[in-house]
Each structure stands twice: as structure tokens, then as C-alpha cells.
Amino acid sequence: MTRSIQELFGIDVPIVLGPFGGVSSVALTAAVSNAGGLGSYGLYGYTAERIAATAAELRAATDKPINLNLWWPTGDEADPADVDWDAAVAGVAPFYAEAGLDLPARPEHFLPPVDEQLAAVVEARPAVASFVYGVPDAVAIEALHAVGTRVVGTATNVAEARALAAGGVDAIIASGMEAAGHRVTFIGAAEDSLLGTFALVPQVVDAVDIPVLTAGGVADRRGVAAALALGAQGVVVGSAFLATAESVAPASHKAALRTVAESGTVLTRAMSGRLARGVENHAMRRLAAVGHAPFPAQNMLTGGFRRVAAQQDDASKLSLWAGQAASLATGETASDVFAELAAGF
């Protein structure tokens, strides 16, 4: 290992904002980058045109390095033609009725083609492109390296870390089960890769010869110090930043993050069809009881009523993704959270 995270990414402090699919914001991404870390922006579901527009907004907001994040296809994503649409829609119908929405028709596609998304990211030339749910292929990595973009993969177990290193990524995020949002497992079942950060990170560090960052359970200077002690070179922090003023998460979601110590979190497939960690609410309980469609059908179906819930700030129907350490973060602004984390180095 010859280069530090700071050298690889061109940043001052190895603090990386976790990318949020659905609630990323230009303001929060820019705030973390401008503070000296690496601001990240999640591009789940974005078309190539929207990626280009977002990249332009980010360039206008900061001249510092940024990270653009994509979901790599695993091959098990459901095709619209293969989904029992009547059954899938029936599960979410009560929520659509309450929101005053018509039931959705079967779409032609659930997600934009990843090759088109990738081409847009290459065109944007971010300092870093990060991936979840797999190892980007050699063509993707070569295209990104050709424009000076570093490539980062995400592992939830040691086998994934080894696969990512062999695939040619520049750094790996070791994501412990404490982390908010989706468990991005791509080798084995997600339920079989629920390794805690304390166990996962040192095993990944020992297994690969490229820099490792810690994700999951880090919300203050103590978490940073622990990550460094485990052998990580930096940290990826989501929930602590998601609760700040610069975040576009609804106020009720931010409040839920602040009270995780009392509420706890659960792992569920009910909201998206893939395993994810968040605060349990009415929608999670109801959908878990009636069953759910496969990913990404379920994510698309819940997205309709979740958008209305966000507008109404109705926490009972949101995907309240939250990490187990979320309530440890008390900073009101991104600057507050960044300063607290930086004190751990």
C-alpha cells in the first residue's frame, strides 16, 4: 500500500460522505467536499441526462473532489415482464389510495441502462466513482481510470473485498452491518453477510493490499479512532450527515435519526425488495405482513407513495434508513459533523 486515501482522492481529510440513493443533495455533497473531505452523490435510478445535469450543479457548487455513486447490476434484478403485477400492486394499493394516487402501470423498464449511466459518469470526470452491489467490469474501470477517476467498491464480506481488489478497484469500503440503508452484498445472501464493523474491517484490511475505508457505526470522533485502530485509512459516514441542515431528508426522517437509541433499527426487504436497515414504521410493518415484489419492482412501487409522504413529512410511510449509531451524532450542520469526525484523526 503506497498511497493514502488523501493522495488517491485529492482530499485533505479522509472523511467520505455516504451516498444516499433518493435523498442526495448538491448542498450536502458540496459542504463535505468544501470542508476538505469527499462529498458523495448517489445516482440510483438517474438517467444519463440527469447525471450530466447533476454533475454540472455539483461543479457549480464546489471545485473540490466529489464522488459519484452507481449501483452495479447483480443479474438478479426483476424484469417488468416477469413480475406478477396485479399481486405487486395490490400490496401497495392502500398507500396509493391514502395518497390520492392512481395505481401505477407496469413500466417498460425499472431502471436506466447502467452502461448509459456509466458513460455519463465518465463524461463528468469526478475525482472518484464508487460502486455498490458488485465489481465493475474491466471496461468500466479502464474508462474511468482513463479520465483520471479513482474507482471504489463496497464489500460486506471478505470474499467481496478480494473480488474487488482482483477486479482492479483503487480502494474498498468495508460496510459493517451497523450501516444505514441497503446491505450491498453481492457474494452470498445479504442475511449471511451481517458482519459487524469491528469484525469485518480488520479481516478486509488483512485480505487486500489496497486502502480500506470503514462504513457503519461511525458518527463521532470515537468511531473514527476505532476505524483507524482496526486498520482503515478513512471513514464513510452517512446517517450523521443525513440529519444535518444541508440534507434534503424530510424533517421527520431527521428526527428519527436523532432518536435511534430509543427506537432501534430493523433490517427489512419490505420497502425495496432488497435488505436494508432503517427505523421501523407503519409502511414497513404493513408491507412485511402482506409480502412484497422483488427488487427493483418493490422499490419503484413504494416510491410513488414515498414521494407524497416526503412532501407531507409523514414518517409513517417513508423509508427511514438509519444506521445503528445515528443518534451519536448531534451536529446541526455538515460543518459541525465534519469537525467532530476530524477530531478523531
Side-chain angles (χ1 to χ4, degrees), residues 66-117:
I66 60 166
N67 165 40
L68 297 180
N69 175 262
L70 288 174
W71 292 36
W72 196 250
T74 64
D76 68 350
E77 293 83 0
D79 185 86
D82 298 329
V83 175
D84 183 341
W85 198 249
D86 289 342
V89 168
V92 300
F95 295 101
Y96 274 73
E98 291 169 10
L101 298 172
D102 292 332
L103 292 174
R106 187 194 304 266
E108 184 177 351
H109 304 288
F110 287 129
L111 294 168
V114 72
D115 58 339
E116 294 179 8
Q117 292 182 308

Short mmCIF file of all heavy atoms in Angstrom, two decimals, residues 66-117:
data_model
loop_
_atom_site.label_atom_id
_atom_site.label_comp_id
_atom_site.label_asym_id
_atom_site.label_seq_id
_atom_site.Cartn_x
_atom_site.Cartn_y
_atom_site.Cartn_z
N ILE A 66 -15.21 15.29 -5.84
CA ILE A 66 -16.50 14.69 -5.48
C ILE A 66 -16.51 13.23 -5.90
O ILE A 66 -15.69 12.79 -6.70
CB ILE A 66 -17.69 15.41 -6.14
CG1 ILE A 66 -17.58 15.35 -7.67
CG2 ILE A 66 -17.83 16.84 -5.64
CD1 ILE A 66 -18.85 15.73 -8.40
N ASN A 67 -17.46 12.49 -5.35
CA ASN A 67 -17.66 11.08 -5.66
C ASN A 67 -19.07 10.89 -6.21
O ASN A 67 -20.04 11.35 -5.60
CB ASN A 67 -17.48 10.23 -4.40
CG ASN A 67 -18.01 8.81 -4.55
OD1 ASN A 67 -17.85 8.20 -5.59
ND2 ASN A 67 -18.66 8.32 -3.51
N LEU A 68 -19.19 10.22 -7.35
CA LEU A 68 -20.48 9.85 -7.91
C LEU A 68 -20.66 8.35 -7.74
O LEU A 68 -19.76 7.57 -8.08
CB LEU A 68 -20.58 10.25 -9.38
CG LEU A 68 -20.50 11.75 -9.67
CD1 LEU A 68 -20.60 12.01 -11.18
CD2 LEU A 68 -21.59 12.52 -8.93
N ASN A 69 -21.82 7.95 -7.23
CA ASN A 69 -22.05 6.55 -6.86
C ASN A 69 -23.09 5.89 -7.73
O ASN A 69 -24.17 6.45 -7.98
CB ASN A 69 -22.50 6.49 -5.40
CG ASN A 69 -22.89 5.09 -4.97
OD1 ASN A 69 -24.06 4.73 -4.96
ND2 ASN A 69 -21.90 4.28 -4.64
N LEU A 70 -22.78 4.67 -8.20
CA LEU A 70 -23.70 3.88 -9.03
C LEU A 70 -23.94 2.51 -8.42
O LEU A 70 -23.07 1.96 -7.72
CB LEU A 70 -23.12 3.68 -10.43
CG LEU A 70 -23.09 4.89 -11.36
CD1 LEU A 70 -22.35 4.51 -12.65
CD2 LEU A 70 -24.49 5.38 -11.69
N TRP A 71 -25.11 1.95 -8.69
CA TRP A 71 -25.43 0.57 -8.34
C TRP A 71 -25.06 -0.30 -9.53
O TRP A 71 -25.57 -0.10 -10.63
CB TRP A 71 -26.91 0.41 -8.02
CG TRP A 71 -27.38 1.08 -6.77
CD1 TRP A 71 -26.97 2.27 -6.26
CD2 TRP A 71 -28.39 0.59 -5.88
NE1 TRP A 71 -27.65 2.55 -5.11
CE2 TRP A 71 -28.53 1.53 -4.85
CE3 TRP A 71 -29.18 -0.56 -5.86
CZ2 TRP A 71 -29.44 1.37 -3.81
CZ3 TRP A 71 -30.09 -0.73 -4.82
CH2 TRP A 71 -30.21 0.22 -3.81
N TRP A 72 -24.20 -1.30 -9.32
CA TRP A 72 -23.81 -2.20 -10.38
C TRP A 72 -24.81 -3.36 -10.44
O TRP A 72 -25.19 -3.91 -9.40
CB TRP A 72 -22.41 -2.74 -10.12
CG TRP A 72 -21.77 -3.35 -11.32
CD1 TRP A 72 -21.52 -4.68 -11.53
CD2 TRP A 72 -21.30 -2.67 -12.48
NE1 TRP A 72 -20.91 -4.87 -12.76
CE2 TRP A 72 -20.77 -3.65 -13.36
CE3 TRP A 72 -21.27 -1.32 -12.87
CZ2 TRP A 72 -20.23 -3.33 -14.61
CZ3 TRP A 72 -20.73 -1.00 -14.11
CH2 TRP A 72 -20.21 -2.00 -14.96
N PRO A 73 -25.29 -3.74 -11.62
CA PRO A 73 -26.26 -4.84 -11.71
C PRO A 73 -25.70 -6.16 -11.20
O PRO A 73 -24.55 -6.50 -11.49
CB PRO A 73 -26.56 -4.92 -13.21
CG PRO A 73 -26.13 -3.60 -13.78
CD PRO A 73 -24.97 -3.16 -12.94
N THR A 74 -26.50 -6.87 -10.44
CA THR A 74 -26.07 -8.17 -9.93
C THR A 74 -26.55 -9.31 -10.83
O THR A 74 -26.08 -10.44 -10.70
CB THR A 74 -26.62 -8.42 -8.51
OG1 THR A 74 -28.05 -8.48 -8.58
CG2 THR A 74 -26.19 -7.32 -7.56
N GLY A 75 -27.52 -9.02 -11.68
CA GLY A 75 -28.07 -10.05 -12.56
C GLY A 75 -29.36 -10.65 -12.05
O GLY A 75 -30.04 -11.37 -12.78
N ASP A 76 -29.72 -10.34 -10.79
CA ASP A 76 -30.96 -10.89 -10.25
C ASP A 76 -32.08 -9.85 -10.21
O ASP A 76 -33.14 -10.11 -9.62
CB ASP A 76 -30.73 -11.49 -8.85
CG ASP A 76 -30.40 -10.43 -7.81
OD1 ASP A 76 -30.17 -9.25 -8.18
OD2 ASP A 76 -30.38 -10.77 -6.61
N GLU A 77 -31.85 -8.71 -10.83
CA GLU A 77 -32.90 -7.69 -10.85
C GLU A 77 -34.10 -8.18 -11.67
O GLU A 77 -33.94 -8.72 -12.77
CB GLU A 77 -32.36 -6.38 -11.47
CG GLU A 77 -31.30 -5.68 -10.64
CD GLU A 77 -29.90 -6.23 -10.86
OE1 GLU A 77 -29.74 -7.17 -11.67
OE2 GLU A 77 -28.95 -5.72 -10.22
N ALA A 78 -35.29 -7.98 -11.13
CA ALA A 78 -36.50 -8.44 -11.81
C ALA A 78 -36.78 -7.59 -13.05
O ALA A 78 -36.56 -6.38 -13.05
CB ALA A 78 -37.69 -8.36 -10.87
N ASP A 79 -37.25 -8.24 -14.10
CA ASP A 79 -37.69 -7.54 -15.31
C ASP A 79 -39.19 -7.29 -15.18
O ASP A 79 -39.93 -8.13 -14.65
CB ASP A 79 -37.40 -8.40 -16.53
CG ASP A 79 -37.73 -7.69 -17.82
OD1 ASP A 79 -36.87 -6.95 -18.32
OD2 ASP A 79 -38.87 -7.86 -18.32
N PRO A 80 -39.68 -6.14 -15.65
CA PRO A 80 -41.12 -5.86 -15.52
C PRO A 80 -42.01 -6.97 -16.04
O PRO A 80 -43.05 -7.27 -15.45
CB PRO A 80 -41.29 -4.57 -16.33
CG PRO A 80 -39.96 -3.89 -16.22
CD PRO A 80 -38.95 -5.00 -16.22
N ALA A 81 -41.61 -7.60 -17.13
CA ALA A 81 -42.45 -8.64 -17.73
C ALA A 81 -42.57 -9.88 -16.85
O ALA A 81 -43.52 -10.66 -16.99
CB ALA A 81 -41.89 -9.03 -19.09
N ASP A 82 -41.63 -10.04 -15.94
CA ASP A 82 -41.61 -11.26 -15.11
C ASP A 82 -42.28 -11.08 -13.75
O ASP A 82 -42.36 -12.02 -12.97
CB ASP A 82 -40.17 -11.72 -14.88
CG ASP A 82 -39.48 -12.10 -16.18
OD1 ASP A 82 -40.18 -12.55 -17.11
OD2 ASP A 82 -38.25 -11.90 -16.28
N VAL A 83 -42.75 -9.87 -13.46
CA VAL A 83 -43.36 -9.57 -12.16
C VAL A 83 -44.87 -9.81 -12.23
O VAL A 83 -45.53 -9.42 -13.19
CB VAL A 83 -43.07 -8.12 -11.74
CG1 VAL A 83 -43.80 -7.76 -10.46
CG2 VAL A 83 -41.57 -7.91 -11.58
N ASP A 84 -45.42 -10.47 -11.21
CA ASP A 84 -46.87 -10.61 -11.08
C ASP A 84 -47.40 -9.24 -10.69
O ASP A 84 -47.49 -8.90 -9.50
CB ASP A 84 -47.21 -11.65 -10.02
CG ASP A 84 -48.71 -11.91 -9.90
OD1 ASP A 84 -49.51 -11.05 -10.35
OD2 ASP A 84 -49.09 -12.94 -9.32
N TRP A 85 -47.75 -8.43 -11.70
CA TRP A 85 -48.02 -7.02 -11.45
C TRP A 85 -49.27 -6.81 -10.60
O TRP A 85 -49.29 -5.94 -9.72
CB TRP A 85 -48.15 -6.27 -12.77
CG TRP A 85 -48.00 -4.79 -12.60
CD1 TRP A 85 -48.94 -3.83 -12.75
CD2 TRP A 85 -46.79 -4.10 -12.21
NE1 TRP A 85 -48.42 -2.58 -12.49
CE2 TRP A 85 -47.10 -2.72 -12.16
CE3 TRP A 85 -45.51 -4.52 -11.90
CZ2 TRP A 85 -46.16 -1.77 -11.80
CZ3 TRP A 85 -44.56 -3.57 -11.55
CH2 TRP A 85 -44.89 -2.22 -11.50
N ASP A 86 -50.30 -7.58 -10.84
CA ASP A 86 -51.53 -7.42 -10.05
C ASP A 86 -51.26 -7.66 -8.57
O ASP A 86 -51.72 -6.91 -7.71
CB ASP A 86 -52.61 -8.38 -10.55
CG ASP A 86 -53.16 -7.99 -11.92
OD1 ASP A 86 -52.96 -6.81 -12.31
OD2 ASP A 86 -53.75 -8.85 -12.59
N ALA A 87 -50.50 -8.71 -8.26
CA ALA A 87 -50.19 -9.02 -6.87
C ALA A 87 -49.29 -7.95 -6.28
O ALA A 87 -49.45 -7.54 -5.12
CB ALA A 87 -49.52 -10.39 -6.77
N ALA A 88 -48.32 -7.49 -7.06
CA ALA A 88 -47.39 -6.47 -6.57
C ALA A 88 -48.11 -5.17 -6.26
O ALA A 88 -47.87 -4.55 -5.21
CB ALA A 88 -46.29 -6.24 -7.60
N VAL A 89 -48.99 -4.77 -7.14
CA VAL A 89 -49.73 -3.51 -6.95
C VAL A 89 -50.71 -3.63 -5.79
O VAL A 89 -50.92 -2.67 -5.04
CB VAL A 89 -50.46 -3.13 -8.26
CG1 VAL A 89 -51.47 -2.00 -8.01
CG2 VAL A 89 -49.46 -2.72 -9.32
N ALA A 90 -51.29 -4.81 -5.61
CA ALA A 90 -52.24 -5.00 -4.52
C ALA A 90 -51.59 -4.72 -3.17
O ALA A 90 -52.23 -4.19 -2.25
CB ALA A 90 -52.80 -6.41 -4.56
N GLY A 91 -50.32 -5.06 -3.03
CA GLY A 91 -49.64 -4.86 -1.76
C GLY A 91 -49.51 -3.40 -1.37
O GLY A 91 -49.54 -3.05 -0.19
N VAL A 92 -49.35 -2.52 -2.37
CA VAL A 92 -49.16 -1.09 -2.08
C VAL A 92 -50.43 -0.28 -2.29
O VAL A 92 -50.45 0.93 -2.01
CB VAL A 92 -48.02 -0.50 -2.95
CG1 VAL A 92 -46.71 -1.21 -2.67
CG2 VAL A 92 -48.37 -0.57 -4.44
N ALA A 93 -51.49 -0.91 -2.77
CA ALA A 93 -52.72 -0.18 -3.13
C ALA A 93 -53.26 0.69 -2.00
O ALA A 93 -53.67 1.84 -2.25
CB ALA A 93 -53.79 -1.17 -3.61
N PRO A 94 -53.30 0.22 -0.75
CA PRO A 94 -53.83 1.09 0.32
C PRO A 94 -53.04 2.40 0.48
O PRO A 94 -53.62 3.45 0.76
CB PRO A 94 -53.73 0.22 1.57
CG PRO A 94 -53.73 -1.18 1.06
CD PRO A 94 -53.00 -1.13 -0.24
N PHE A 95 -51.74 2.33 0.28
CA PHE A 95 -50.91 3.53 0.42
C PHE A 95 -51.15 4.50 -0.73
O PHE A 95 -51.14 5.72 -0.54
CB PHE A 95 -49.44 3.14 0.49
CG PHE A 95 -49.09 2.36 1.72
CD1 PHE A 95 -48.93 0.98 1.67
CD2 PHE A 95 -48.95 2.98 2.95
CE1 PHE A 95 -48.63 0.25 2.80
CE2 PHE A 95 -48.64 2.26 4.10
CZ PHE A 95 -48.49 0.88 4.02
N TYR A 96 -51.38 3.98 -1.92
CA TYR A 96 -51.70 4.83 -3.05
C TYR A 96 -53.05 5.51 -2.85
O TYR A 96 -53.22 6.69 -3.16
CB TYR A 96 -51.67 4.03 -4.36
CG TYR A 96 -50.30 3.92 -4.97
CD1 TYR A 96 -49.33 3.10 -4.40
CD2 TYR A 96 -49.95 4.65 -6.09
CE1 TYR A 96 -48.06 3.02 -4.94
CE2 TYR A 96 -48.68 4.58 -6.65
CZ TYR A 96 -47.74 3.75 -6.06
OH TYR A 96 -46.47 3.68 -6.60
N ALA A 97 -54.01 4.76 -2.32
CA ALA A 97 -55.33 5.33 -2.07
C ALA A 97 -55.24 6.46 -1.04
O ALA A 97 -55.85 7.53 -1.23
CB ALA A 97 -56.29 4.24 -1.59
N GLU A 98 -54.49 6.23 0.02
CA GLU A 98 -54.34 7.26 1.05
C GLU A 98 -53.64 8.50 0.52
O GLU A 98 -53.90 9.62 0.96
CB GLU A 98 -53.57 6.69 2.24
CG GLU A 98 -54.34 5.63 3.02
CD GLU A 98 -53.45 4.90 4.01
OE1 GLU A 98 -52.30 5.34 4.24
OE2 GLU A 98 -53.91 3.88 4.57
N ALA A 99 -52.74 8.31 -0.46
CA ALA A 99 -52.00 9.44 -1.03
C ALA A 99 -52.77 10.12 -2.16
O ALA A 99 -52.33 11.16 -2.67
CB ALA A 99 -50.65 8.96 -1.55
N GLY A 100 -53.91 9.53 -2.55
CA GLY A 100 -54.69 10.11 -3.64
C GLY A 100 -54.06 9.88 -5.00
O GLY A 100 -54.26 10.68 -5.92
N LEU A 101 -53.34 8.78 -5.14
CA LEU A 101 -52.64 8.47 -6.39
C LEU A 101 -53.31 7.33 -7.13
O LEU A 101 -53.88 6.42 -6.51
CB LEU A 101 -51.19 8.07 -6.09
CG LEU A 101 -50.29 9.09 -5.42
CD1 LEU A 101 -48.96 8.43 -5.04
CD2 LEU A 101 -50.05 10.28 -6.34
N ASP A 102 -53.23 7.37 -8.45
CA ASP A 102 -53.67 6.24 -9.25
C ASP A 102 -52.64 5.12 -9.13
O ASP A 102 -51.44 5.38 -8.97
CB ASP A 102 -53.80 6.64 -10.72
CG ASP A 102 -54.93 7.62 -10.96
OD1 ASP A 102 -55.90 7.60 -10.19
OD2 ASP A 102 -54.81 8.42 -11.91
N LEU A 103 -53.10 3.89 -9.23
CA LEU A 103 -52.17 2.77 -9.17
C LEU A 103 -51.26 2.78 -10.39
O LEU A 103 -51.70 3.10 -11.50
CB LEU A 103 -52.93 1.45 -9.10
CG LEU A 103 -53.70 1.21 -7.80
CD1 LEU A 103 -54.54 -0.07 -7.91
CD2 LEU A 103 -52.75 1.11 -6.63
N PRO A 104 -49.98 2.47 -10.22
CA PRO A 104 -49.03 2.57 -11.34
C PRO A 104 -49.21 1.44 -12.35
O PRO A 104 -49.53 0.31 -12.00
CB PRO A 104 -47.67 2.48 -10.66
CG PRO A 104 -47.94 1.68 -9.42
CD PRO A 104 -49.32 2.07 -8.97
N ALA A 105 -48.99 1.78 -13.62
CA ALA A 105 -49.00 0.78 -14.68
C ALA A 105 -47.64 0.11 -14.74
O ALA A 105 -46.63 0.65 -14.29
CB ALA A 105 -49.31 1.43 -16.02
N ARG A 106 -47.62 -1.09 -15.30
CA ARG A 106 -46.36 -1.80 -15.47
C ARG A 106 -45.44 -0.99 -16.39
O ARG A 106 -45.83 -0.67 -17.53
CB ARG A 106 -46.60 -3.18 -16.07
CG ARG A 106 -45.37 -4.08 -16.12
CD ARG A 106 -45.60 -5.29 -17.02
NE ARG A 106 -46.76 -6.06 -16.63
CZ ARG A 106 -46.74 -7.13 -15.83
NH1 ARG A 106 -45.59 -7.54 -15.33
NH2 ARG A 106 -47.86 -7.78 -15.53
N PRO A 107 -44.23 -0.65 -15.95
CA PRO A 107 -43.33 0.14 -16.79
C PRO A 107 -42.63 -0.73 -17.82
O PRO A 107 -42.59 -1.96 -17.70
CB PRO A 107 -42.34 0.71 -15.79
CG PRO A 107 -42.24 -0.36 -14.75
CD PRO A 107 -43.64 -0.94 -14.63
N GLU A 108 -42.04 -0.11 -18.82
CA GLU A 108 -41.24 -0.85 -19.80
C GLU A 108 -39.91 -1.27 -19.18
O GLU A 108 -39.40 -2.36 -19.43
CB GLU A 108 -40.99 0.01 -21.04
CG GLU A 108 -40.26 -0.72 -22.14
CD GLU A 108 -40.09 0.13 -23.40
OE1 GLU A 108 -40.70 1.23 -23.47
OE2 GLU A 108 -39.36 -0.30 -24.31
N HIS A 109 -39.34 -0.37 -18.35
CA HIS A 109 -38.09 -0.64 -17.65
C HIS A 109 -38.19 -0.11 -16.23
O HIS A 109 -38.87 0.89 -15.99
CB HIS A 109 -36.90 0.01 -18.36
CG HIS A 109 -36.74 -0.37 -19.79
ND1 HIS A 109 -36.30 -1.62 -20.18
CD2 HIS A 109 -36.97 0.34 -20.93
CE1 HIS A 109 -36.25 -1.67 -21.49
NE2 HIS A 109 -36.66 -0.50 -21.98
N PHE A 110 -37.50 -0.74 -15.30
CA PHE A 110 -37.46 -0.23 -13.93
C PHE A 110 -36.33 0.79 -13.75
O PHE A 110 -36.47 1.77 -13.01
CB PHE A 110 -37.26 -1.37 -12.93
CG PHE A 110 -38.48 -2.22 -12.73
CD1 PHE A 110 -38.39 -3.60 -12.84
CD2 PHE A 110 -39.71 -1.66 -12.42
CE1 PHE A 110 -39.51 -4.41 -12.64
CE2 PHE A 110 -40.84 -2.45 -12.23
CZ PHE A 110 -40.73 -3.82 -12.33
N LEU A 111 -35.20 0.55 -14.41
CA LEU A 111 -34.01 1.37 -14.20
C LEU A 111 -33.35 1.70 -15.53
O LEU A 111 -33.45 0.93 -16.50
CB LEU A 111 -32.99 0.62 -13.31
CG LEU A 111 -33.41 0.36 -11.87
CD1 LEU A 111 -32.44 -0.63 -11.22
CD2 LEU A 111 -33.46 1.66 -11.08
N PRO A 112 -32.64 2.83 -15.60
CA PRO A 112 -31.90 3.16 -16.82
C PRO A 112 -30.77 2.15 -17.03
O PRO A 112 -30.26 1.57 -16.06
CB PRO A 112 -31.33 4.56 -16.53
CG PRO A 112 -32.10 5.07 -15.36
CD PRO A 112 -32.51 3.87 -14.57
N PRO A 113 -30.35 1.93 -18.27
CA PRO A 113 -29.22 1.02 -18.53
C PRO A 113 -27.95 1.51 -17.84
O PRO A 113 -27.61 2.69 -17.92
CB PRO A 113 -29.07 1.06 -20.06
CG PRO A 113 -30.40 1.54 -20.56
CD PRO A 113 -30.92 2.47 -19.51
N VAL A 114 -27.25 0.60 -17.17
CA VAL A 114 -26.07 1.01 -16.42
C VAL A 114 -24.97 1.51 -17.34
O VAL A 114 -24.17 2.38 -16.94
CB VAL A 114 -25.56 -0.15 -15.53
CG1 VAL A 114 -24.92 -1.25 -16.36
CG2 VAL A 114 -24.57 0.37 -14.49
N ASP A 115 -24.91 1.02 -18.60
CA ASP A 115 -23.86 1.50 -19.49
C ASP A 115 -24.06 2.96 -19.84
O ASP A 115 -23.09 3.72 -20.00
CB ASP A 115 -23.77 0.63 -20.75
CG ASP A 115 -25.07 0.57 -21.54
OD1 ASP A 115 -26.14 0.83 -20.96
OD2 ASP A 115 -25.01 0.25 -22.74
N GLU A 116 -25.32 3.39 -19.94
CA GLU A 116 -25.59 4.80 -20.20
C GLU A 116 -25.26 5.65 -18.98
O GLU A 116 -24.72 6.77 -19.10
CB GLU A 116 -27.06 4.99 -20.60
CG GLU A 116 -27.42 4.33 -21.93
CD GLU A 116 -28.88 4.52 -22.29
OE1 GLU A 116 -29.60 5.29 -21.59
OE2 GLU A 116 -29.32 3.89 -23.28
N GLN A 117 -25.58 5.14 -17.79
CA GLN A 117 -25.22 5.85 -16.57
C GLN A 117 -23.70 5.98 -16.46
O GLN A 117 -23.17 7.06 -16.15
CB GLN A 117 -25.75 5.12 -15.35
CG GLN A 117 -27.26 5.11 -15.20
CD GLN A 117 -27.67 4.39 -13.93
OE1 GLN A 117 -27.27 3.26 -13.68
NE2 GLN A 117 -28.47 5.05 -13.11
#
